Amino acid sequence: MSDIKTGAETLITALVEQGVEVIFGYPGGAVLPIYDALFQQNSIRHILVRHEQAAVHAAEGYARSTGKVGCVLVTSGPGATNAVTGLTDALMDSIPIVCLTGQVPTHLIGQDAFQEADTTGITRACTKHNYLVKQVNDVSGVVHEAFLVAATGRPGPVVIDLPKDVLMNKTDVYKKKSDVRRPSYKPRMKGDLAQIEKAVEALSQAKRPIIYAGGGVINAGPAASQLLVEFTRMTGVPITNTLMGLGAYPASDRQFVGMLGMHGTYEANLAMYNCDVMLNIGARFDDRITGKIDEFSPNSTKIHVDIDPSSINKNVLVDLPIVGDAAHVLEDMIRLWRSKALNLDAGALKGWWEQIEQWRGVDCLGFSQAKGEVEIRPQHALKRLHELTKHRDDVLISTEVGQHQMWAAQYIGFEKPNRWMTSGGLGTMGYGFPAAIGMQIGNPGACCIDVAGEASILMNIQELSTAVQYRLPVKIMIINNQWMGMVRQWQELLHGGRYAESYTDSLPDFVKLAESFGAKGIRATKESELDSAIQEMLDSDVMTIFDCCVTKDENCFPMIPSGKPHYDMLLPGASQEKVAAAIQGEGLALV
Amino acid sequence: MSETRTFAVLVDNEPGVLARVIGLFSGRGYNIESLTVTEVDDDANLSRITIVTDGTTQVLAQIRNLLERLVPVHRVEDLTAAAEGRNMEPPVQRELALVKVVGAGDKRVEALRIADIFKAEVVDTGLGHFVFEIKGRKSQIDRFITLMMPLGLTEICRSGVIAVSRGDQAL
Ligand SMILES: Cc1ncc(C[n+]2csc(CCOP(=O)(O)OP(=O)(O)O)c2C)c(N)n1
Ligand SMILES: [Mg+2]
């Protein structure tokens, strides 16, 4: 027996079959049939955001913290174009999103109709794939295919553009999830066994090995992180995580040498530079990681595990490529390491660790919050946040973009995956707050904190209204230095201290701002108030902004200036000559 | 070191597929020397795209991987590399061109004589012009065009390169 349904109703049926529980969206003329269908059902909850960009970021936060596909619904024209930044963000960070966009009726497409935009054209470069559905009979099949594409292989955003007449026309065609096939789409999950065998053997011969793990491990699911821990422990090899990979390996573990890259630790970056075998799992040799490319880890054998073949040999030529899912490959590595009874040269490994401990001794994340000092140092604020939350297992952190983001990555330790949500690839200011809303929707009991800058938070501040409407106890901790700190830092180090437009005048009173939305506002300006203010924020069961006023001109160290090799790090309190050296050279032209 | 390669790409014949392929090149600043596309299997709804491109080994590998990553792409074959791998001659490549030559007197006679040498066919003519159809390797057509240039060549239209591998193996 087949039902006759509208395209919109068919769409909802397909979403329910996909297990969608929540959609982040914003209505408009072209999607009214979908809103009408949503209104008449109870399976899917709709969260009304206040800007479509925020809908996508919220879906990202939801997806990253739950491991499910995030779902977005926006109208045609401006609704779709507003979503573009979010889609690009999801593409860069490989986050599974299905974004439904309304479109003008098929007979008006191409006529410059009201609120028409070439959505599939515009989003072609910022999605993993997109669809324009021209017939109501295709709706269910396209939805199932879109979820398959979004969630499998290297995950990413998928857009389904739905003309209004397609949503209103009737059909009795319904393709089930299990009926959908796309022969041309075939992500590789299992890695080539011969390559994996070579890889473990190469690792076992190493004298100075390192494991470098990224967001691919998080995307491969919590099991992949467990396997990573197992493999790292059984080999005794030091491990570093990328910004995207934080939490894939427990930060408190002795074998963890911290985050690597531009603002990574001295020990992680020097271990990368000096290693003889590098095992990269699910990271992509981003320019923020490699620094000067021709001096990147010059003497190592490089093994690269990635689910996306186009990530391999893109920036850095590797010796042993393995295309496959991180969990599958790690499983094979563990099995082979055991069955071949492989071992590293204990003496060499001991020497390597001694060297690493020496680098660790530099204490590259040291900062001075002198006793009795009144002002709050931003690093200290985040360290205190970490101290006051580390005993808990329910804390999820997102960030905006800037210095506060790097300090959060440096001073908050993550013991498990899916606890840390930051815009790594695109570096989108305005990401963190809506992402935290999505995290809270997906994890109702959790403590969801957006570590923000006072400039970034203004980019999606309207979402206070969303959080209050749905009674979400999201916390925003603004590391308020009154500057676009990261911009100011680059201007100080690279542009002779000419601070063009990086100071934000006329900032709002964030406490009153929160209150005007019906949220709670807290402020601390003195170190003596810090702990109680953090605690008050943590204990709050309503939407809360904590305006943490910090020293204004702190710089984020360590730092590898753009275009510099790993050994050329600026450490806290770097000498004037070192800073001056960073100013010169072609690095100035890099971002 | 830059080298030239010919890729054969089998794709689902659906709207947007060509834009995806072209966008992949333009978005990354890769060069397309020639691109042709037409449906080749009506029942399976498949089109075949032939792309001639050049780049470093790394860029060429990247092009291949990025093409394979597109959802509607079934297969990507680097015909040049495959031929090298099998120790064979480069793939069979053909291009078609229509060339209009306008002129009179000696030049007209000379144009006809050269066309004869190249086995180009006259597909349209009047008292003052010829339209030649020539097919062959790209380099052959290039040479024909160079020779026609001083003889009154006014218009060129080329189909772009199509290619298949030599030997009994199929894509
Ligand atoms: C949408 C967007 N616009 C511009 C930038 C460039 N940018 C990077 S960090 C930054 C300053 C951020 O200031 P704030 O939020 O106060 O953070 P802070 O660095 O002070 O911690 C800017 C403008 C960006 N990353 N995203
Ligand atoms: Mg700031």
Side-chain angles (χ1 to χ4, degrees):
Chain A
M1 250 310 288
S2 46
D3 295 320
I4 303 227
K5 285 184 175 163
T6 66
E9 288 162 351
T10 310
L11 170 73
I12 303 289
T13 309
L15 294 177
V16 170
E17 196 193 336
Q18 282 293 337
V20 173
E21 291 161 353
V22 55
I23 296 184
F24 301 90
Y26 204 92
V31 285
L32 284 180
I34 303 179
Y35 276 85
D36 207 24
L38 277 171
F39 192 79
Q40 299 176 56
Q41 56 84 51
N42 285 315
S43 312
I44 300 178
R45 187 176 175 206
H46 180 272
I47 301 294
L48 177 68
V49 295
R50 301 304 192 259
H51 186 293
E52 289 87 350
Q53 182 192 351
V56 188
H57 293 325
E60 287 186 272
Y62 175 88
R64 290 175 75 164
S65 60
T66 62
K68 299 176 192 163
V69 175
C71 197
V72 178
L73 169 57
V74 298
T75 194
S76 66
T81 56
N82 271 352
V84 164
T85 300
L87 294 169
T88 312
D89 192 89
L91 183 73
M92 292 288 274
D93 284 347
S94 310
I95 314 298
I97 299 290
V98 169
C99 177
L100 312 165
T101 57
Q103 183 54 277
V104 301
T106 44
H107 69 275
L108 289 181
I109 290 181
Q111 312 259 314
D112 294 337
F114 178 62
Q115 295 197 327
E116 179 182 359
D118 175 7
T119 301
T120 47
I122 291 170
T123 61
R124 199 169 285 128
C126 65
T127 52
K128 181 173 172 187
H129 194 55
N130 63 17
Y131 302 86
L132 171 61
V133 185
K134 287 216 177 125
Q135 272 158 15
V136 65
N137 290 350
D138 295 341
V139 169
S140 51
V142 166
V143 169
H144 294 312
E145 193 182 301
F147 274 81
L148 174 76
V149 170
T152 56
R154 180 178 180 175
V158 176
V159 161
I160 309 177
D161 203 24
L162 295 153
K164 193 167 183 181
D165 56 332
V166 170
L167 293 169
M168 296 178 74
N169 288 345
K170 301 229 158 121
T171 180
D172 62 353
V173 175
Y174 185 78
K175 264 197 182 177
K176 290 205 292 280
K177 185 175 164 183
S178 52
D179 294 340
V180 171
R181 300 260 175 289
R182 183 76 197 233
S184 63
Y185 177 71
K186 34 187 185 304
R188 267 181 273 173
M189 298 299 279
K190 291 289 278 178
D192 183 280
L193 217 50
Q195 287 288 94
I196 299 176
E197 208 166 324
K198 278 194 212 156
V200 288
E201 264 157 20
L203 189 69
S204 73
Q205 312 268 303
K207 304 251 178 303
R208 301 182 308 279
I210 184 133
I211 298 174
Y212 146 45
V217 178
I218 312 262
N219 272 337
S225 294
Q226 273 165 22
L227 292 164
L228 178 67
V229 172
E230 191 179 340
F231 186 64
T232 309
R233 296 233 168 103
M234 71 198 277
T235 55
V237 172
I239 178 166
T240 173
N241 283 163
T242 65
L243 182 71
M244 292 299 294
L246 294 178
Y249 194 86
S252 62
D253 191 273
R254 198 192 67 87
Q255 274 173 263
F256 186 60
V257 297
M259 179 176 80
L260 79 163
M262 184 176 270
H263 293 289
T265 66
Y266 189 65
E267 51 272 31
N269 284 323
L270 283 192
M272 288 289 280
Y273 184 79
N274 289 288
C275 69
D276 65 348
V277 176
M278 174 191 301
L279 171 57
N280 168 349
I281 308 177
R284 57 187 175 85
F285 293 109
D286 176 90
D287 55 84
R288 282 290 178 278
I289 295 299
T290 60
K292 189 166 189 239
I293 200 92
D294 43 3
E295 285 199 64
F296 172 69
S297 193
N299 302 312
S300 59
T301 301
K302 297 176 186 71
I303 305 160
H304 187 184
V305 181
D306 204 299
I307 197 156
D308 178 3
S310 74
S311 281
I312 292 175
N313 289 334
K314 179 178 62 181
N315 304 337
V316 170
L317 285 175
V318 299
D319 305 280
L320 266 165
I322 298 168
V323 177
D325 171 81
H328 283 89
V329 174
L330 277 162
E331 211 171 349
D332 286 335
M333 285 186 162
I334 291 168
R335 196 169 38 75
L336 286 166
W337 192 270
R338 277 219 184 90
S339 66
K340 291 172 169 283
L342 294 173
N343 264 311
L344 283 147
D345 175 342
L349 191 61
K350 187 159 169 285
W352 178 228
W353 269 111
E354 280 165 8
Q355 170 68 76
I356 289 173
E357 290 305 335
Q358 223 171 39
W359 291 326
R360 230 182 218 161
V362 167
D363 189 20
C364 67
L365 294 177
F367 62 90
S368 56
Q369 176 81 41
K371 235 189 155 41
E373 189 179 338
V374 177
E375 283 190 36
I376 306 167
R377 303 253 177 184
Q379 304 94 323
H380 180 66
L382 289 163
K383 204 162 186 181
R384 291 311 301 160
L385 176 66
H386 176 56
E387 293 298 329
L388 293 169
T389 52
K390 67 179 184 192
H391 60 286
R392 301 172 58 160
D393 192 33
D394 65 341
V395 178
L396 307 182
I397 305 274
S398 68
T399 74
E400 305 293 336
V401 173
Q403 290 180 320
H404 64 275
Q405 175 190 29
M406 292 299 122
W407 284 319
Q410 290 171 337
Y411 295 101
I412 304 176
F414 295 91
E415 300 299 307
K416 289 185 183 161
N418 309 99
R419 302 284 200 274
W420 162 251
M421 269 64 49
T422 196
S423 171
L426 195 63
T428 313
M429 291 169 72
Y431 166 85
F433 180 31
I437 288 176
M439 284 145 53
Q440 192 76 70
I441 295 283
N443 305 267
C447 174
C448 298
I449 308 172
D450 170 32
V451 174
E454 78 297 330
S456 296
I457 195 62
L458 288 179
M459 288 216 175
N460 269 320
I461 195 71
Q462 76 287 345
E463 298 307 314
L464 278 172
S465 179
T466 310
V468 171
Q469 177 182 343
Y470 296 97
R471 300 183 204 295
L472 303 174
V474 169
K475 285 103 182 143
I476 301 175
M477 179 165 167
I478 301 177
I479 304 298
N480 188 345
N481 53 10
Q482 297 181 36
W483 285 89
M484 297 175 196
M486 191 57 94
V487 175
R488 191 204 52 72
Q489 174 168 351
W490 279 53
Q491 289 172 332
E492 178 185 333
L493 299 182
L494 299 159
H495 294 274
R498 291 178 294 281
Y499 300 117
E501 304 296 326
S502 51
Y503 184 75
T504 319
D505 206 337
S506 309
L507 281 170
D509 176 331
F510 285 107
V511 172
K512 284 193 189 148
L513 178 73
E515 287 165 0
S516 77
F517 278 91
K520 181 183 165 97
I522 305 169
R523 176 174 297 121
T525 55
K526 302 193 192 81
E527 200 282 330
S528 56
E529 302 163 346
L530 179 64
D531 276 19
S532 59
I534 292 177
Q535 200 54 55
E536 193 182 345
M537 172 185 82
L538 294 173
D539 294 342
S540 169
D541 56 4
V542 296
M543 173 69 232
T544 300
I545 291 186
F546 167 29
D547 184 18
C548 184
C549 303
V550 299
T551 44
K552 290 189 191 175
D553 50 7
E554 204 71 36
N555 282 335
C556 182
F557 289 121
M559 176 180 183
I560 307 174
S562 287
K564 293 281 172 178
H566 279 167
Y567 55 78
D568 243 347
M569 289 192 95
L570 298 176
L571 289 169
S575 71
Q576 283 303 318
E577 300 86 78
K578 266 221 117 171
V579 173
I583 298 173
Q584 297 150 13
E586 65 281 24
L588 205 57
L590 301 173
V591 289
Chain B
M1 234 273 291
S2 186
E3 45 185 317
T4 301
R5 300 270 183 88
T6 304
F7 288 96
V9 189
L10 220 51
V11 301
D12 285 325
N13 180 16
E14 62 179 24
V17 64
L18 193 57
R20 282 179 216 287
V21 169
I22 291 171
L24 181 161
F25 280 81
S26 61
R28 292 176 173 78
Y30 300 153
N31 182 39
I32 299 180
E33 233 174 69
S34 163
L35 184 144
T36 62
V37 54
T38 304
E39 188 172 76
V40 289
D41 185 336
D42 198 13
D43 296 328
N45 199 32
L46 290 176
S47 290
R48 179 165 168 145
I49 304 178
T50 308
I51 304 170
V52 182
T53 180
D54 55 25
T56 60
T57 318
Q58 206 171 344
V59 164
L60 291 163
Q62 189 66 8
I63 288 173
R64 185 204 173 98
N65 288 329
L66 288 167
L67 284 168
E68 268 173 354
R69 199 167 82 157
L70 297 175
V71 172
V73 168
H74 286 263
R75 271 205 70 180
V76 182
E77 180 85 1
D78 180 337
L79 295 173
T80 317
E84 277 166 14
R86 276 186 238 133
N87 248 330
M88 284 178 131
E89 299 268 291
V92 182
Q93 306 209 8
R94 286 293 177 272
E95 191 176 1
L96 183 78
L98 296 172
V99 178
K100 187 176 282 186
V101 178
V102 177
D106 285 354
K107 284 191 175 171
R108 188 170 156 81
V109 177
E110 181 63 4
L112 202 58
R113 208 179 61 81
I114 291 171
D116 200 41
I117 297 168
F118 280 80
K119 299 201 170 61
E121 216 181 303
V122 177
V123 289
D124 182 58
T125 184
L127 289 176
H129 82 281
F130 291 117
V131 176
F132 296 112
E133 174 195 298
I134 174 168
K135 64 178 191 297
R137 273 173 289 116
K138 183 182 170 306
S139 55
Q140 236 171 320
I141 295 175
D142 288 344
R143 238 176 308 138
F144 181 72
I145 287 170
T146 315
L147 291 174
M148 285 299 171
M149 220 46 113
L151 302 177
L153 184 146
T154 57
E155 193 173 340
I156 308 167
C157 183
R158 299 174 68 151
S159 64
V161 172
I162 56 169
V164 289
S165 61
R166 290 177 196 276
D168 56 6
Q169 291 200 30
L171 189 68

